[in-house]
Amino acid sequence: YVCRIKYLVMKKILIAILAITIVQSIFSQERISELSFEYEASSRGFYQRIKVEKGILFFQENRNKSKDVTVEIDEKQWEKLVGLVKKVELESLSLFKAPSKRREIDGSAIAKLKVIKNENEFTSTNFDHGNPPLEIKNLVNYIISLSQSGKKD
């Protein structure tokens, strides 16, 4: 009888540990999906701000404009963004070298990319709008292309 009670207690403890492990796994997977992107480019006569979160993109072309243009991002587009960011070593984002320096002589707008992942911010160095560092070129170009689908002429 004592062995049976020990068996039942051990079984309940094992089930509790398993339940806790499953819940922790679910919460850690949700945290991985906490991802957003911010791209900003500006000069004296140009301004562009793009913020992308899962399912939506906010686009602003005017510093004085109070309302952003919003564009819906479908699952396929979001997965492509996630795939592109996985190819980037985010911890090194601030170390990537800009391939040109036209922004230093007002020849190009100054741009930067910020990636926010699980409450951690990773920000690039400044680079010329239209000419990002090679390591983030595909990601930046894709973010810009997504914003173009929401522009109204």
Side-chain angles (χ1 to χ4, degrees), residues 36-73:
S36 66
F37 306 88
E38 295 178 18
Y39 176 80
E40 187 171 11
S42 65
S43 67
R44 282 185 266 170
F46 176 81
Y47 181 76
Q48 186 176 71
R49 186 178 62 82
I50 305 165
K51 183 173 182 180
V52 186
E53 298 173 353
K54 187 171 185 175
I56 194 159
L57 176 144
F58 304 96
F59 178 73
Q60 186 177 359
E61 259 191 331
N62 183 337
R63 285 182 182 95
N64 303 322
K65 190 174 180 182
S66 61
K67 189 173 180 182
D68 293 343
V69 172
T70 57
V71 178
E72 190 173 318
I73 303 296

Side-chain angles (χ1 to χ4, degrees), residues 112-128:
K112 67 180 174 182
L113 174 70
K114 185 189 307 182
V115 178
I116 301 150
K117 181 178 180 186
N118 298 336
E119 300 176 10
N120 295 311
E121 284 189 14
F122 304 94
T123 305
S124 71
T125 55
N126 290 339
F127 55 89
D128 294 346

Side-chain angles (χ1 to χ4, degrees), residues 3 5-6 9 14 20 28 53 87 128-129 132 144 148:
C3 288
I5 292 174
K6 285 183 180 179
V9 170
L14 184 61
I20 290 170
S28 69
E53 298 173 353
K87 294 177 183 177
D128 294 346
H129 174 62
I144 292 170
Q148 301 305 309

Side-chain angles (χ1 to χ4, degrees), residues 71-103:
V71 178
E72 190 173 318
I73 303 296
D74 64 35
E75 192 65 29
K76 185 177 176 184
Q77 292 168 317
W78 180 252
E79 289 303 318
K80 183 169 181 178
L81 265 176
V82 170
L84 289 170
V85 80
K86 283 181 179 179
K87 294 177 183 177
V88 176
E89 190 176 323
L90 292 176
E91 291 77 16
S92 300
L93 186 60
S94 64
L95 303 175
F96 298 151
K97 300 286 183 208
S100 58
K101 297 181 179 186
R102 294 189 64 222
R103 67 194 174 282

